[in-house]
Amino acid sequence: MLHLYDTRTRTAQDISPMDGKTLRFYCCGPTVYGPAHIGNFRTFVMQDVFRRVLELGGVPTTHIRNLTDVDDKTIRDSQKAGVSLAEFTAGWADLFHRDCAALNCLPPHAEPSAVGHIPEQIRMVQTLVEKGHAYVSEDGSVYFRISSFPEYGRLSHLDERELDLGKTANTRSNADEYEKDSVADFVLWKSRRPEDGNNFWPSPWGKGRPGWHLECSAMIHKYFGNDFDLHSGGVDLVFPHHENEVAQSRCACGGGFARLWFHITHLLVDGGKMSKSLGNMYTLADLDKLGHRPSAVRYVLAGGYYRRPLNFTLSSLEDAKAALNRLSKFDMQLRNASGTDSVPSYEEFCAAFPELGIFQPAWDSLNDDLNTPEALGHVFSAIRKADIPSLSPEEAARLRNAFHFILAAFGIILPEEGQEEAPEEIRTLADQRWQAKQNRDWTEADRLRAEVAALGWVIKDRKDGAFAKVAPGGGGPLSPHRHAHAHLFIVTRGTVSVMLDGEERTVHEYESQLVPGGVLHAVWNRNTEPAEILGLTLETPSSPTSSI
């Protein structure tokens, strides 16, 4: 059973469902006004590890994560961009989802948005006003009266911070975010202002929009009711955001709100804070341009203990790459010893707990307050202890299953031997082609496949989506005269005609064609003059194809 530190009680608590069936947890999601940075993703990755450890341990979950698509920042920046709020936030939400997928984060079971829950927020404000916990100001804004909730401050232990609630009787904060040392009546509903443009909704108090703190409470009440298992977010949200959530939710709905609180400590970069002025507020795209792939970023973010600041450095990404290659080499050795490529899927691991053997200490550490660095230490200790040559194929297969179970808990995707990960441009094209296939737009799928191949990459399809393989010497267009012994592939819609040993054969476009002897495969576009090689793969025992 997972034991986790609870912010409110400051003690380790057993994590088990209140209803004995499904653990329900809510995570504060991104404000979609720009790309999420690695500090944001430290929180989201650790929440993903939390969920994986629960589910792999046999505890089903319901994971809700919101999207903030209306607040001071989204309105301000959409106005600057000259586009509607909906169009502006949709683009950044799409990028966030692509980044989450690149980091191998499980998608939440539901992802409600603030704009999509305006009626629920208005109803909650009405209830608070009726019960005397909120009041309407002169301009039509509505504020929560913190003096009406005696337990205000218990989550963040305000009594230890020498802040006097009695001094705030006539103090208000109209901003969505305000100073961490400021205790003030906070805004629930903001009356329309000129700078809001067309971003307003009718309400009993006039035109306006919800304050930032309100949306999570309204969504939680809709999806979970008055009580649920666990609430999570970055440590910077403890006060005032989560403190305000507790106050408005309990005053409006009753109940105990969240039973447990899971907060992830902030991330440092090179020993200091992240800031735009220092140029260290890295996004995945920034790190990709520097040659660092999402798998290495995930390894670094998941490998730090969540209750201590994580010092992120570019050298740590190099260390992560080396560690991943070491894990991949061990996996290859087990694969060869077992004689099979097959390992259980994540869903299969959740349904059937494997025998962990030498990897049991790693699992124990994960269940001990998500001690990920200690767990990784146990993983490498187990690798050193493993005597693979002495294992039978059945024993090697069991050990490999145990190894992949732990990898699944971390959400680690191993590189294949000699693998090079595709850059962001190629991954985006591969994602677009996969979506075109889902829409049965074969013409567009063919076009995107050809575009990827022209850049020196080959798309392979898996049941969970497409991914790209780099061709030897790839990364750019290839000369048609570069490989004299290449066979001609003539690309037609839906099929590929292949010249093998002087005989033309037809295979489905999405099947792989392996030629005995490891000859070169050249893909040509016969509609282009002069002929252009669109992709190249080489598969021989001595020179394995690089892939992701």
Side-chain angles (χ1 to χ4, degrees):
M1 175 183 289
L2 174 62
H3 306 278
L4 201 69
Y5 181 83
D6 172 44
T7 303
R8 183 178 61 83
T9 63
R10 294 180 175 177
T11 60
Q13 298 285 328
D14 293 343
I15 307 301
S16 59
M18 296 171 65
D19 64 3
K21 300 176 182 178
T22 301
L23 190 129
R24 300 171 301 156
F25 73 103
Y26 181 93
C27 300
C28 287
T31 300
V32 283
Y33 74 108
H37 53 68
I38 54 173
N40 304 132
F41 280 117
R42 191 206 182 181
T43 294
F44 298 132
V45 165
M46 287 309 305
Q47 290 166 342
D48 186 63
V49 174
F50 165 77
R51 173 179 165 182
R52 287 170 177 270
V53 170
L54 283 172
E55 293 180 346
L56 289 167
V59 179
T61 71
T62 298
H63 173 196
I64 308 295
R65 183 182 67 210
N66 75 303
L67 285 173
T68 297
D69 53 357
V70 57
D71 78 330
D72 293 345
K73 294 177 290 189
T74 53
I75 291 175
R76 178 197 67 204
D77 288 5
S78 65
Q79 300 276 8
K80 287 182 181 178
V83 298
S84 69
L85 181 67
E87 179 183 354
F88 179 79
T89 56
W92 291 119
D94 183 59
L95 175 60
F96 173 71
H97 293 144
R98 294 201 304 271
D99 284 349
C100 285
L103 289 169
N104 198 32
C105 291
L106 297 169
H109 298 103
E111 193 172 49
S113 72
V115 170
H117 291 73
I118 297 294
E120 290 85 352
Q121 296 181 73
I122 290 175
R123 285 196 293 270
M124 181 167 281
V125 175
Q126 286 179 296
T127 300
L128 289 169
V129 171
E130 292 168 359
K131 290 185 174 183
H133 295 290
Y135 57 92
V136 183
S137 67
E138 301 80 7
D139 68 349
S141 296
V142 183
Y143 291 84
F144 182 88
R145 182 181 287 109
I146 62 172
S147 61
S148 72
F149 183 55
E151 295 183 36
Y152 189 87
R154 288 193 179 181
L155 171 66
S156 54
H157 301 276
L158 282 180
D159 58 321
E160 299 177 9
R161 298 171 59 183
E162 299 180 356
L163 297 176
D164 187 353
L165 299 186
K167 296 178 180 178
T168 69
N170 299 308
T171 303
R172 301 174 186 165
S173 176
N174 186 262
D176 283 334
E177 298 182 46
Y178 51 90
E179 292 301 319
K180 307 303 180 186
D181 290 331
S182 174
V183 180
D185 291 353
F186 56 90
V187 66
L188 299 168
W189 185 261
K190 306 178 77 165
S191 62
R192 184 185 180 188
R193 298 175 296 182
E195 57 266 33
D196 290 339
N198 294 322
N199 303 299
F200 62 88
W201 290 265
S203 80
W205 317 283
K207 297 175 181 178
R209 60 182 173 90
W212 174 53
H213 302 291
L214 182 63
E215 65 185 81
C216 291
S217 290
M219 295 172 191
I220 287 170
H221 182 66
K222 177 177 180 178
Y223 288 91
F224 288 154
N226 298 338
D227 301 273
F228 63 106
D229 292 293
L230 182 141
H231 198 319
S232 181
V235 70
D236 58 308
L237 296 182
V238 177
F239 182 86
H241 183 55
H242 287 166
E243 197 72 74
N244 291 350
E245 279 188 44
V246 172
Q248 64 199 9
S249 293
R250 292 188 59 192
C251 289
C253 308
F257 198 54
R259 181 169 62 93
L260 300 170
W261 292 85
F262 168 42
H263 288 104
I264 294 90
T265 304
H266 55 276
L267 178 144
L268 304 174
V269 176
D270 294 323
K273 291 185 177 181
M274 288 189 300
S275 72
K276 291 182 180 179
S277 62
L278 294 175
N280 63 4
M281 196 170 281
Y282 296 119
T283 65
L284 284 192
D286 294 333
L287 296 173
D288 184 82
K289 292 175 183 177
L290 296 174
H292 302 294
R293 306 308 185 206
S295 58
V297 178
R298 166 105 194 186
Y299 185 94
V300 172
L301 296 180
Y305 185 41
Y306 79 92
R307 287 174 56 195
R308 298 194 189 104
L310 172 64
N311 187 30
F312 185 94
T313 66
L314 295 181
S315 62
S316 68
L317 292 173
E318 294 295 338
D319 295 338
K321 182 178 179 180
L324 289 169
N325 286 335
R326 185 178 174 192
L327 295 173
S328 182
K329 182 179 179 180
F330 177 72
D331 183 57
M332 182 186 67
Q333 293 170 340
L334 286 175
R335 184 175 62 219
N336 292 339
S338 66
T340 178
D341 287 334
S342 177
V343 291
S345 66
Y346 177 78
E347 292 74 18
E348 289 169 333
F349 275 136
C350 291
F353 194 94
E355 177 186 338
L356 294 182
I358 60 175
F359 290 104
Q360 183 65 47
W363 179 246
D364 293 340
S365 292
L366 287 174
N367 281 277
D368 183 13
D369 201 26
L370 290 182
N371 195 334
T372 52
E374 183 178 271
L376 284 173
H378 286 310
V379 168
F380 285 102
S381 177
I383 288 174
R384 288 191 296 270
K385 293 176 182 177
D387 185 10
I388 297 177
S390 69
L391 300 178
S392 68
E394 293 76 16
E395 290 170 332
R398 284 197 296 271
L399 184 60
R400 188 168 183 238
N401 284 354
F403 176 55
H404 275 265
F405 180 86
I406 298 300
L407 294 181
F410 276 97
I412 290 173
I413 298 295
L414 293 179
E416 294 181 13
E417 188 72 5
Q419 170 179 319
E420 180 183 349
E421 290 193 56
E424 183 180 17
E425 175 189 6
I426 300 301
R427 294 197 302 271
T428 298
L429 291 172
D431 289 342
Q432 291 172 353
R433 176 184 166 276
W434 179 255
Q435 189 57 55
K437 282 188 62 183
Q438 304 312 298
N439 297 335
R440 305 186 70 82
D441 186 349
W442 309 119
T443 300
E444 178 66 3
D446 290 346
R447 185 193 69 78
L448 289 165
R449 186 185 188 98
E451 184 177 349
V452 169
L455 296 170
W457 296 79
V458 178
I459 291 180
K460 294 187 69 177
D461 291 301
R462 306 182 300 200
K463 63 182 180 180
D464 59 340
F467 71 107
K469 296 175 66 175
V470 63
L478 305 172
S479 165
H481 303 292
R482 185 170 177 179
H483 299 282
H485 302 292
H487 290 259
L488 181 64
F489 282 29
I490 302 173
V491 179
T492 59
R493 182 177 298 178
T495 64
V496 179
S497 298
V498 189
M499 297 299 296
L500 297 176
D501 301 324
E503 178 183 355
E504 180 172 323
R505 305 178 190 175
T506 300
V507 297
H508 291 294
E509 179 190 359
Y510 304 119
E511 291 181 355
S512 60
Q513 180 72 11
L514 175 61
V515 181
V519 299
L520 292 170
H521 298 207
V523 183
W524 298 69
N525 181 353
R526 64 177 174 179
N527 298 320
T528 303
E529 292 293 342
E532 177 188 13
I533 292 181
L534 297 180
L536 187 66
T537 62
L538 173 62
E539 297 191 30
T540 67
S542 60
S543 180
T545 300
S546 298
S547 63
I548 67 169

